[in-house]
Structure formats: C-alpha cells, structure tokens
Amino acid sequence: MTGDAPVRADLAVAGGTILTPGGPVAATLLVDGGRVRETVPPGTPVRAAEVIDASGLHVMAGAIDLHVHFDVPGISFEDDFNAGTRGAAAGGVTFVVEHPFSDPPTTTAARYADKSARAAAGAVVDFGLWGALTGPSLREMAGQHALGAPGFKAFLPDNDMDFPPATEADLLTGMATAARLGARVLVHAEDRETIAVAETRLRARGRTDIAALLEARPPSAEIEAVRGVLEAARRTGCAVHLVHLSTPEAVDLVAQARAAGVDATCEVTAHHLLLDEDDLRRVGGFGVCAPPLRDAGRVAALWDRVRAGLVQAIVSDHCPYGRADKLKGSADVFACPFGIQSVQEYMPLVLSEALRRGVALTRIVPLFTEGPARVCGVDGSKGVLTPGMDADIVLLDLNRPWVISAERQQHAVERWSPYDGRACDVRVVRTLVRGRTVATGGDVVAPPGWGRFVPLSQEARCRS
Ligand SMILES: [Zn+2]
C-alpha cells in the first residue's frame, strides 16, 4: 500500500466477519473481475465501484450442493433449472452438481451435452453435472467424462425411472473404467434384494402406510450395501463417493476404508440430520425419501460423525416433485416419489441446528464449501474466499430467527416443505455469484443464464 491512497476494486464487502478456513476474521473483502483479489484490514480506505455493507454479518464462501435433482419428470426443462437455481441463490447456494437420474436420464454423452447447454439457459447459479453408470451405458462413460463429468452415479436398488440399477458386474466394470479415467463413482447404496423381498412381503399384507417404508428399507440394507461398494472400490482402485448416508454405521465403514487407503468419501443430507422417523409420521409424503428417515438415536449419532470430521459434505438431495404426488404417500407410501425439496433452506437450517448443538463454525462451514468442492473437483476455483477464487459469496446473519413457510418463501414451481413451521436462527441475507448479486433478502435479482456450466473433469478443464 502506498501512503493513504485508497485501494481500488470493483467490489468491496466491508464491515463483516469473513469465515476463513482458519476461523472468523474481521476484514474487508475485495473483488475484481468476478474473483477475490484480497482481504484487507477493517477500515482500510477503499474506492470501489460497489460497496456492500456487511456490518454485523458473516461472510462465507457460497455453499456447494453436490446433490440436486432439478430435472425431474413433470416440469419443463428450462423451468426446472431456473426454479431450482433460483431457490439455490435465495438459500446461499452458489454451485450445484445435478444428478443424472432424470427424465430422460443422462446416460449418454449426447444427452449430457444437450443437458449442459439447455440447463445453462435457465440457471442463475453455476453448476456441474454428474455422469451416469448403468449397465447399458458403460461405454458412454468416457464421452461424458470428456464433456465435464467428474464422476458417475450408480444406483443399486430398483427404481421406477428409466435408470437401470447397477449389478455387481456393472459396478466392477464401471469402477474399472472410472479408475482409468481418474473419475469418481457415486453410489446410492441400498441392497436391492433386501428391499424387494421386504416390499413384496409388506404389500402382500396390505401394508402401504408410512411406517411400512421404514420396514422395507431398514438400516441393514444400507450398511451391507456400503460394505460391498467399499470392497469393490478397494478391488478396482476406484475413487468412490457414498451419497446420502443415513446411518452412523455406514459412515464408520467409509472412515475405516479411508484409513485403509481407499479413496472413499461420503455425504449426508440435511433431512437425515434434521428429521427423524417421528417427523415422517407427522409430515407424511413430504418426508418420504430413500434411504428413509431414521430413529432419533441414529440422527444424534450421525451428528457425532459430523462433529468428528468423518463426513466430507452436507447436501440437500433436492427433489422438486409435485405436491399431489408427494401427498399420495400418506395413503400409499410405495406410490410416493422418493425425495425432499430443500435446496433453498438446507444450508441455513443445518447451520442453525449445528450452532444449537454446539458444533463449531470452523467444523460445519467446510462441509458446505471446501469439502464438497474437493469431492467434485471444483476446488481450484470455488469453495474458499482466497485470492484468485471465484467471488461466490454469501452474507449470513447468524442470529436472525425466522420460520420456514414454503408457500411464502420458495421459488420452487410447486411449493412444499417438510420443514414448514420450523424455526431457523440463521438467515441468508445476500448471495453473489462471481461478484454479482444474484439474490438479496430472498428475492432473486439475476437473469436466467447468469449461471454457467462448469466442466469438472480433469480432461475437460485442460481443454478449456
Ligand atoms: Zn438423489
């Protein structure tokens, strides 16, 4: 700095407390050309084209949601990515990675290319796309990877979509291919056989009530499937990511595999941390998901794993199904689509709950930022607010209580939430993507198309 000449920048975020990997720091954040330039001590004279007053607020890198489904059946495509990313922007999420379990499923390179282009037209935050690992599409993996897929989703249980579950042979072949490409395999791990047998037995006895879901998909179905996936990863040398783990036992298996040298990561969803079996009975179809919500003891034990650093990411697993379809679940749980929409609320809700439970900010914030950035390979440009990184910024008020109301707040095409009526202490005040404000006070102010598709594979990054 020369004398008292003001520091110049495009944008200054002044007066706030910046959440850095080392802890909270009072500083002014300077942005140039959509990227973080530097942080300077509070009170440093600054001449910026735009100054945002962050007094009393915390300044966090934007949340990265590794697990969203925007492109579900029943909503037109651009609407879907626009509505989904609008919710993300309002909720402090600046980057999402969408899953291929869509209509039609992203199982080929051609569909991957088509989706990335069409989704970009509607997006208001940046995004990546996972590829798919299914038996019929094993030969399409390399093509998806070349277009930007950092990994491939495999689904073990049966599903009612056109997304064939991976057999053991499919998984081994796909993992060998992914290992060769330097990509990761993501697995929805619940044992197909266990679930099919239990569901048939329950239906035969006329059991289609909400609680039947818990009996059809017991914890053991997840735990045993995770054990098998980790063994396959060890045999093939493939990096593996276990999606939406709902049991502490499964998280422990991943931690043991990591300790034994397997490149294994895992994520937990907001709903498995915030809701339990009693909530499922209370909210009916709006709480139906797979794996299902678990008992209160397992929820507490899952928080212990978060506190112990055994989880790499917290995600929404956002599924914007129609209200009527979700309400069906209250009469016939097996007719209810699996999934909860929460991309707009999951980050403030989990931060709020973490603070109530005494989890340190330095422990919980990285599970929304650096942790997921590393899993999907966007850590070179997103996930922390250090010089050169994208200026994806969220201003948070950690002590501004509000109550969730899907009807009044959501940007979803169909508004519903299992969290309706729940109190939250943490509020997202403002969200910026690459230095531009995309949402303020819950309103979205960026046009469709501001969000960019980010190719995440090493191969695609080297080319661009
Ligand atoms: Zn999912």
Side-chain angles (χ1 to χ4, degrees):
M1 220 184 297
T2 52
D4 288 317
V7 184
R8 288 170 185 274
D10 291 347
L11 167 69
V13 181
T17 302
I18 302 177
L19 296 172
T20 74
V25 177
T28 296
L29 182 72
L30 301 179
V31 173
D32 267 333
R35 294 196 171 147
V36 175
R37 195 176 87 197
E38 61 182 323
T39 51
V40 294
T44 304
V46 173
R47 186 174 298 164
E50 183 184 8
V51 177
I52 295 175
D53 180 8
S55 300
L57 303 178
H58 282 75
V59 181
M60 174 183 154
I64 293 171
D65 191 348
L66 287 182
H67 194 152
V68 299
H69 305 263
F70 288 159
D71 179 25
V72 297
I75 308 175
S76 85
F77 198 88
E78 282 87 353
D79 270 6
D80 216 354
F81 253 79
N82 184 244
T85 55
R86 285 165 67 85
V93 179
T94 55
F95 190 72
V96 296
V97 195
E98 216 254 2
H99 277 239
F101 187 57
S102 52
D103 186 24
T106 325
T107 44
T108 67
R111 284 181 184 171
Y112 189 98
D114 181 54
K115 189 179 195 173
S116 59
R118 291 202 293 149
V124 300
V125 306
D126 292 349
F127 68 98
L129 297 173
W130 296 112
L133 189 173
T134 69
S137 68
L138 288 169
R139 276 184 299 181
E140 295 282 338
M141 288 171 66
Q144 295 173 60
H145 184 69
L147 292 168
F152 307 92
K153 172 83 172 282
F155 206 82
L156 301 190
D158 284 320
N159 58 76
D160 54 6
M161 305 280 292
D162 185 20
F163 198 93
T167 64
E168 199 182 333
D170 296 336
L171 195 61
L172 286 170
T173 307
M175 280 183 166
T177 302
R180 209 164 47 238
L181 294 169
R184 196 169 279 277
V185 167
L186 287 71
V187 188
H188 175 146
E190 284 185 293
D191 185 63
R192 178 166 53 249
E193 198 74 355
T194 305
I195 294 168
V197 169
E199 194 176 313
T200 305
R201 197 189 63 230
L202 287 157
R203 279 179 187 276
R205 292 198 322 227
R207 287 284 312 280
T208 58
D209 55 289
I210 283 285
L213 181 69
L214 306 173
E215 290 176 49
R217 308 180 91 101
S220 61
E222 173 175 278
I223 297 161
E224 293 316 311
V226 167
R227 204 187 297 280
V229 168
L230 291 168
E231 174 57 19
R234 191 191 61 75
R235 279 168 60 189
T236 54
C238 177
V240 72
H241 178 69
L242 278 303
V243 301
H244 54 46
L245 291 185
S246 63
T247 60
E249 295 94 327
V251 174
D252 290 345
L253 288 174
V254 174
Q256 285 159 22
R258 279 170 77 81
V262 177
D263 185 351
T265 54
C266 69
E267 66 186 30
V268 296
T269 68
H271 45 270
H272 288 114
L273 291 170
L274 298 170
L275 302 170
D276 63 24
E277 292 177 357
D278 291 339
D279 293 305
L280 174 62
R281 293 186 181 90
R282 182 174 55 80
V283 302
F286 293 150
V288 168
C289 55
L293 301 174
R294 301 300 188 190
D295 61 87
R298 280 204 169 78
V299 172
L302 209 53
W303 273 105
D304 291 340
R305 279 25 178 214
V306 166
R307 212 181 252 113
L310 302 184
V311 166
Q312 283 71 47
I314 297 173
V315 302
S316 72
D317 195 2
H318 179 84
C319 288
Y321 289 112
R323 271 184 71 88
D325 290 334
K326 291 301 282 176
L327 284 167
K328 272 185 212 157
S330 303
D332 177 0
V333 73
F334 298 118
C336 184
F338 293 134
I340 288 171
Q341 65 177 9
S342 69
V343 73
Q344 192 171 331
E345 304 92 12
Y346 85 105
M347 192 264 284
L349 275 174
V350 172
L351 285 186
S352 180
E353 182 67 19
L355 293 174
R356 281 182 207 179
R357 287 174 182 263
V359 180
L361 278 175
T362 46
R363 173 59 85 190
I364 195 76
V365 167
L367 302 188
F368 291 96
T369 53
E370 299 154 64
R374 276 193 292 272
V375 172
C376 71
V378 80
D379 49 324
S381 60
K382 296 180 185 293
V384 286
L385 296 175
T386 52
M389 301 294 273
D390 286 352
D392 295 349
I393 301 167
V394 181
L395 304 190
L396 290 174
D397 192 330
L398 296 184
N399 191 18
R400 182 137 143 234
W402 58 297
V403 174
I404 309 283
S405 164
E407 189 49 47
R408 288 210 311 274
Q409 295 147 0
Q410 277 184 347
H411 293 279
V413 174
E414 298 222 4
R415 284 167 278 180
W416 56 269
S417 172
Y419 303 111
D420 261 338
R422 188 178 179 116
C424 182
D425 296 332
V426 175
R427 191 144 192 171
V428 172
V429 174
R430 188 172 182 135
T431 308
L432 296 89
V433 172
R434 285 174 276 108
R436 174 182 183 151
T437 296
V438 295
T440 175
D443 294 328
V444 176
V445 296
W450 174 250
R452 285 184 191 159
F453 169 64
V454 180
L456 293 166
S457 61
Q458 200 67 40
E459 196 184 329
R461 280 206 306 267
C462 289
R463 242 198 353 259
S464 65

